[in-house]
Amino acid sequence: MVASAAQLAQARVSLEQRDFCGHHLLRLLRCHRDNFPVPWGCHALRHAWDSCQHEDYVMRMKEFERERRLRLRQQRLRQRHGDSGDS
């Protein structure tokens, strides 16, 4: 993580949003605060945060799928070795 837990706590970021994209969120919140009546002035920062969230989601899904496939492979190998050992 780029942003520390203290920085996120100081900015009052909710626990659900304290993730690997927290540094983008801090910049976005600061921009919203500095440009209060004009929320569309922070479009680039919002896009950066959304992109980071999406990339993080995709990576987590890839890791989950990899772990699932490895677990299934281990089960198949155990079954094969168990079946061949009984013969």
Side-chain angles (χ1 to χ4, degrees):
M1 287 183 55
V2 177
S4 69
Q7 289 173 328
L8 295 169
Q10 184 180 10
R12 296 183 183 147
V13 175
S14 66
L15 292 176
E16 296 84 25
Q17 293 180 321
R18 294 182 189 188
D19 55 7
F20 290 107
C21 300
H23 59 289
H24 290 291
L25 183 60
L26 287 177
R27 284 188 225 138
L28 178 63
L29 293 174
R30 188 176 306 122
C31 180
H32 279 296
R33 186 189 67 225
D34 293 344
N35 302 321
F36 171 63
V38 186
W40 54 85
C42 305
H43 180 72
L45 294 173
R46 175 65 180 217
H47 180 71
W49 181 61
D50 285 340
S51 295
C52 182
Q53 290 286 95
H54 178 71
E55 289 172 14
D56 182 50
Y57 174 78
V58 168
M59 287 303 297
R60 283 186 287 121
M61 290 301 109
K62 285 181 179 180
E63 289 173 12
F64 173 79
E65 183 65 22
R66 179 179 176 271
E67 291 292 326
R68 185 184 73 82
R69 289 180 184 197
L70 286 173
R71 201 173 331 109
L72 291 174
R73 181 175 183 266
Q74 276 300 108
Q75 289 174 357
R76 283 194 312 269
L77 288 174
R78 274 192 231 121
Q79 287 175 355
R80 243 186 247 154
H81 289 294
D83 292 342
S84 64
D86 293 340
S87 301

